[in-house]
Amino acid sequence: MKIYTDLKDFSALNPVVTIGTFDGVHLGHRKVIRRLQELAHKVNGETVIFTFYPHPRLVLSEENNGLRLINTLEEKKVLLEAAGIDHLVIYPFTKEFSKLSYVEFVEQILVKQLGMKYLVVGYDHRFGHNRQGKYEDLKVFADQLNFKIERQDVLNMDAINVSSTKIRKAIGEGDINTANKYLGYRFFIKGDVVDGKKLGSKIGFPTANIDPQESYKLVPKDGVYAVKVDVDDKRYLGMLNIGVRPTVNNQLDNRSIEVHILDFDQDIYYKNITIHFYKRIRNEQFFASIDELKAQLAKDKEAVVELLGK
């Protein structure tokens, strides 16, 4: 997959284009991607995803400064490449750019700079200033500018429209099962192992503290999770805690992500690892003593092994 941050470098054969933020690259997105690929094969063209960075909602509204996304930009690149996309355009989203009308956007950027031959849009997709560009308007515009346009219906699962918003809500509530079902893969966090207080080591459950690197990365609801951990191309079982560790931590505003990797004793400080989420086991809770905490951690370990195998 070729990646562009400057359209001067862009070159593709009969570009078949779709536009969106593609947060999650979930099953609904993949339905659009499959159609993109079918059309590219039909017209002897290449697939192009035109996306934005930062996310438009983070730029346009102060109310959305707290918006958290399923994927970081780097994670999204990996997922789109695995989906078989030929070209990824990452366009800088600014307030100035947002004032461009949909007519100007399509004509000046998609047609003149990309050379778009086919446009695939989602069932409710709108773009341009104030999201004024509707499918019906674009269809008329397509005839004038000599490109074809097609609209994809929403993907329904369990009588629910699959969307990034619904998946973000599920992750935020700790409902990993639902999130994974709609994503089509295990929700994951990539991050660096950073220094911690080494409290876990003192009670026989050493943990790696994870820094997700990007402040906008969505982190699941506080609690204990069954996970798998990728370290140096190898995968291990793990139990992960998100929260403030109330039994051993006096700074209750100090939220952390810590994973205990089962049957593992390597030094991985400052390495980048990947956490794949399988299930939320329980709420984070306060224990009256360290012994009670240790007993519960032993039970958590048993639950992870029972759920994920050895």
Side-chain angles (χ1 to χ4, degrees):
M1 182 178 72
K2 296 181 180 178
I3 300 174
Y4 310 85
T5 54
D6 190 335
L7 292 183
K8 293 177 182 178
D9 302 323
F10 181 83
S11 176
L13 179 66
N14 297 327
V16 179
V17 181
T18 192
I19 305 161
T21 55
F22 282 82
D23 186 31
V25 194
H26 55 64
L27 292 178
H29 294 141
R30 289 167 191 269
K31 180 181 179 182
V32 174
I33 289 172
R34 285 195 299 273
R35 184 55 181 158
L36 209 65
Q37 293 165 332
E38 290 170 358
L39 292 171
H41 180 73
K42 181 179 177 180
V43 301
N44 191 31
E46 296 175 333
T47 56
V48 181
I49 284 185
F50 192 104
T51 192
F52 306 99
Y53 184 81
H55 192 289
R57 284 173 57 186
L58 293 174
V59 174
L60 295 178
S61 174
E62 293 183 1
E63 296 177 359
N64 285 310
N65 286 341
L67 177 67
R68 296 294 177 262
L69 303 177
I70 301 165
N71 303 134
T72 66
L73 181 61
E74 292 307 311
E75 291 169 357
K76 190 185 300 184
K77 290 176 184 177
V78 171
L79 290 166
L80 290 173
E81 183 166 26
I85 291 298
D86 297 317
H87 303 271
L88 174 62
V89 176
I90 303 169
Y91 201 87
F93 194 90
T94 62
K95 288 187 176 181
E96 182 180 1
F97 170 75
S98 73
K99 295 175 183 177
L100 212 63
S101 72
Y102 77 91
V103 173
E104 293 170 320
F105 174 63
V106 172
E107 185 172 17
Q108 295 177 15
I109 295 178
L110 299 185
V111 174
K112 288 187 177 180
Q113 295 190 60
L114 293 188
M116 178 178 69
K117 300 300 181 185
Y118 224 117
L119 176 63
V120 178
V121 296
Y123 74 103
D124 64 347
H125 190 79
R126 296 186 179 197
F127 52 83
H129 184 57
N130 291 331
R131 302 182 74 241
Q132 292 177 339
K134 298 182 294 185
Y135 173 73
E136 291 74 18
D137 300 323
L138 292 168
K139 200 169 183 181
V140 174
F141 203 39
D143 293 334
Q144 299 173 1
L145 292 177
N146 196 30
F147 67 88
K148 295 182 180 180
I149 184 170
E150 178 177 300
R151 178 165 57 185
Q152 273 288 294
D153 292 331
V154 65
L155 176 68
N156 283 291
M157 295 179 69
D158 305 325
I160 294 176
N161 296 347
V162 174
S163 71
S164 301
T165 300
K166 291 183 175 70
I167 295 170
R168 286 194 290 265
K169 183 174 184 292
I171 294 170
E173 294 173 349
D175 186 0
I176 297 300
N177 290 343
T178 295
N180 289 346
K181 183 176 183 179
Y182 294 160
L183 285 170
Y185 60 88
R186 306 286 179 185
F187 172 72
F188 64 93
I189 291 178
K190 293 178 69 70
D192 293 331
V193 178
V194 297
D195 286 321
K197 295 184 178 179
K198 300 180 175 61
L199 298 174
S201 298
K202 296 177 182 177
I203 61 173
F205 290 90
T207 60
N209 286 40
I210 311 304
D211 177 7
Q213 299 178 313
E214 299 290 357
S215 61
Y216 62 84
K217 173 69 179 184
L218 178 61
V219 175
K221 180 180 180 180
D222 288 3
V224 178
Y225 293 82
V227 300
K228 291 188 178 180
V229 187
D230 292 344
V231 182
D232 293 335
D233 299 322
K234 291 185 179 181
R235 184 163 291 183
Y236 304 87
L237 302 188
M239 55 187 199
L240 177 138
N241 185 83
I242 299 173
V244 296
R245 302 163 299 156
T247 306
V248 296
N249 181 21
N250 293 324
Q251 295 175 292
L252 295 183
D253 60 343
N254 184 19
R255 192 177 188 228
S256 64
I257 306 171
E258 299 183 24
V259 62
H260 171 69
I261 306 174
L262 275 58
D263 303 318
F264 185 87
D265 62 358
Q266 299 176 32
D267 181 354
I268 55 173
Y269 278 112
Y270 314 117
K271 284 191 176 183
N272 189 268
I273 66 176
T274 303
I275 311 292
H276 303 270
F277 286 74
Y278 280 72
K279 188 176 181 179
R280 188 173 187 269
I281 299 174
R282 63 174 174 86
N283 291 329
E284 186 179 47
Q285 61 193 95
F286 173 80
F287 295 95
S289 69
I290 295 298
D291 286 340
E292 284 186 21
L293 172 59
K294 289 169 65 175
Q296 182 59 57
L297 292 175
K299 291 179 182 178
D300 294 341
K301 182 175 180 179
E302 290 178 4
V304 168
V305 172
E306 182 176 351
L307 180 68
L308 303 182
K310 292 187 177 181

